[in-house]
Amino acid sequence: MGSRASTLLREEEIEEIKKETGFSHSQITRLYSRFTSLDKGENGTLSREDFQRIPELAINPLGDRIINAFFPEGEDQVNFRGFMRTLAHFRPIEDNEKNKNAAPAEPLNSRTNKLLFAFRLYDLDRDDKISRDELLQVLRMMVGVNISDEQLGSIADRTIQEADTNGDAAISFNEFMKVLEKVDVEQKMSIRFLH
Amino acid sequence: MSSLLLSTLALTCLAAGCSGLNPPVDPPEPQTLPPSPGQNGSGEDVPSVDVPRALGLFSVDYHHVQAPFEIVLWIMLASLAKLGFHWSGRVPAVVPESCLLIMVGLLVGGVIYGVRHSAPPTLSADAFFLFLLPPIVLDAGYFLPGKLFFENLGTILWYAVLGTLWNVLGIGLSLYGVCLLCPASLGDVSLLHCLLFGSLIAAVDPVAVLSVFQEMHVNEQLHILVFGESLLNDAVTVVLYQLLESFLRLPSVSGPDVLLGGCRVLVVGFGGLFVGLFFGLLAALTSRFTPRVPVIAPLFVFLYSYLSYLTSEMLHLSGITAIVTCAVTMKQYVEANVSERSNSSIQYFLKMWSSLSETLIFIFLGVSTIQDVHMWSWPFVCATLLLCLLWRASGVLLLTAVVNKVRRNKVTFRDQFIIAYGGLRGAICFSLVFLIVDFPKKRLFITTTIVVILFTVFVQGMTIRPLVDLLDVKRKKRALPSVSEEMHSRLIDHLLSGIEDVVGYWGQHYWKDKFEQFNRTFLRRFLIREEQQNRSSILRVYQELERQEQGERETAVQAKTVPQTNSRPLLPEEMDSIRRILSRNLHRFNSRIPAYSRHTLHQDTTRTLQRHRSLGERDTQVEDAEFNGLHSVRSGLRRSHTVCTSPTSSIPEEQAAPKHGPKKHLSFDIESE
């Protein structure tokens, strides 16, 4: 697998991915070998079944939604670029990047983009609002079956109540960001990708 | 305030007077039996058998009650002193409690010295290590913020083991250099002696650190780093001290001996760990069978922890590690098995004993400073002080530079400064120095140790708070986490677990999940009672009913700060149950398809009955009327204020319960089961 991996990934591609995501060369090659090991069909893209084959992911309560997050709107396959783009959200924010205002577009692993990723886990219908139902769905997935609907309802209500500032009984992205302003999201939502 | 002072002084004089009647005894030894039979006999002889004397109306027989009487007097003094400090609001804000207690001790020691013209009783090492230290460490271990501790465990161990080694070697060797430079006064202090001194003076003391840091509210990471280090460096200190002491007795030291010492660190550390684990699991198992006799349940917690400490001390392993491990291990199972009242009792008594121990330790430190013979040597003392600071600072800098490369959350320079500056020495050094085999310069060592302890506690202890403000060190988040924060944090945790699985990275989340699975499949099934699961639904119904009723009451009484849509403000119990639900069910990876089986319900039952999770939570309830949420367990590390204020604030809770007649009955049933 190793030699195949390096020949299939061209240098120009690596450079492009580097620029887009900020990963280093060695990280990209490493993640590429992970990509190919997941890609059982060997067609250069991953399907949902490939993800579902990961054992721990199958039992993760949010497994389905996480898998969905990798796939762009309406598509069933994700190539390596898309894979890296999603993973780029979880790159730790380096100190020298925090002050860099030169970059034209906001880097994928900025705090806002990380929070947007989390927001999208709730907001399935992409209407930029987390409604009470969407909240309940996620709660039910996270919390399990032996909690009554009423308790879950009260938790959901409380969550909305704490965040909602414009009284529309739903959480918008700005409200979401405001609620989490005291949480150290940069650190929580980062994985140390080994070099 | 003045009346308290007067009474304290009166007590002191009484104590001085009483002890003046007899030769000095080492006071806090509760196990000391009442005076020996010989004395007892003579005491009893006086009123009844002494024939020539007429039957008196009134007689004083002090010998009979001497030991317990003196002990109680000391404890009373300590407690009154503590009361006195907190009476005045401003003083504890500026001067840490430890300083004030030492000053009281100095005062008392001075009075006793003045009355008796001989040295007051000193803190015996046995009394300290066997009776005064365990409660404090047990309390620390029981309320240790587990998640934070294990996340930072690598760094903590790094500081504890390597940092201590660095300090010991550095201080020991430099002091030897100083001794060589002053052959006139310090010529007979050998290298081994210097190293031995270095080993006992280098270690950061958990008692002192705890008492100063708990009032500071620095960010939790910093707190856990300093505190964890002070707990875990015990293994290294113990080994080095014993090793160097045995070297002193050997004719010569060879290479293999040093190597043996190195292995011994591992043995001591891991040995303590296993002893603690063993007793912790045993305690958890025992607590499973306590439902019929709930009154005894708290006792097991203390007995097993103390046993683990004593066992490891017997085997010359690290007692502190053992007791901390024991507490951490048994906590979740005991809390699940034992009734709520027993839980509160356990927590309450832990806080009480540790508070008492700490107070006594500091007072005795003060008293023991008044000695008959102090040997002073300017170069030695000043050099020691300076070297302690220097080596600690350099050690922290170096180690952090290395460890920051692998940490996600870097330790900033400000934090490093506080870590270095917050390395306080305390009573452990003091006791260890007394245990040294007598040699000509032992007095010098004792004096120097006292000076170092006083310096660190007073100067560093008092200035660290303004420094923290000055340097703008990141503080503990004052606001309590809201339900939203909690829920979204859980979401992010799940998300990160998933992403780590995708990437194939065995990170923190991976190991945490693995441990939770192991915990659930084996440990919980074995150590937690079966009946818990049936009870949970009853409890839940009970809680819902109570919540509804109280909610209706509270709605009328409480002023709203948040505009209420269709939900009422949540009460602490509700917040508690919400947080419990979210945290307990985080790792329920049984299956995606809901299955109503006996064992999935089992998971829910193991939620801790944490109404009184930490008595520190009561504090914020009283202060913060918004009921936004409860402190996390970290607040349990604060000791002095929790003991003082919790009784008052728990009363309203108790009063609320009797109003609900049937529910009280229900709760009574549950608790007596």
Side-chain angles (χ1 to χ4, degrees), chain B residues 579-626:
Chain B
R579 295 185 87 244
R580 242 183 289 137
I581 290 168
L582 288 173
S583 65
R584 281 299 158 192
N585 288 283
L586 168 67
H587 295 288
R588 275 204 58 247
F589 293 155
N590 280 336
S591 63
R592 278 184 298 165
I593 304 157
Y596 291 89
S597 84
R598 205 165 171 248
H599 294 292
T600 52
L601 280 175
H602 188 78
Q603 174 65 31
D604 190 13
T605 75
T606 60
R607 71 181 168 212
T608 55
L609 300 171
Q610 291 189 345
R611 276 161 190 263
H612 309 270
R613 187 196 300 198
S614 154
L615 295 177
E617 292 167 346
R618 296 286 169 230
D619 242 2
T620 56
Q621 219 176 304
V622 173
E623 297 163 3
D624 184 4
E626 287 182 4

Side-chain angles (χ1 to χ4, degrees), chain B residues 410-440:
Chain B
K410 314 270 183 227
V411 183
T412 64
F413 272 115
R414 291 185 189 141
D415 285 352
Q416 285 175 45
F417 179 79
I418 298 295
I419 294 177
Y421 200 68
L424 303 176
R425 274 66 168 180
I428 293 187
C429 323
F430 188 74
S431 309
L432 285 177
V433 84
F434 268 98
L435 288 175
I436 302 182
V437 174
D438 228 352
F439 75 104

Side-chain angles (χ1 to χ4, degrees), chain B residues 15-37:
Chain B
C18 289
S19 38
L21 291 172
N22 322 279
V25 179
D26 281 336
E29 288 191 11
Q31 272 193 5
T32 310
L33 302 168
S36 57

Side-chain angles (χ1 to χ4, degrees), chain B residues 539-568:
Chain B
L539 259 176
R540 252 185 291 135
V541 168
Y542 163 68
Q543 277 174 335
E544 289 224 39
L545 284 173
E546 188 191 56
R547 229 186 300 148
Q548 275 176 13
E549 284 240 17
Q550 280 194 340
E552 281 157 9
R553 274 191 311 123
E554 294 297 328
T555 316
V557 171
Q558 194 187 350
K560 308 294 174 300
T561 52
V562 182
Q564 191 174 297
T565 51
N566 52 353
S567 64
R568 47 184 168 66

Side-chain angles (χ1 to χ4, degrees), chain B residues 300-316:
Chain B
F300 285 114
V301 172
F302 301 116
L303 288 177
Y304 277 109
S305 325
Y306 197 43
L307 258 182
S308 73
Y309 183 79
L310 292 174
T311 313
S312 54
E313 285 289 315
M314 174 177 76
L315 299 171
H316 288 297

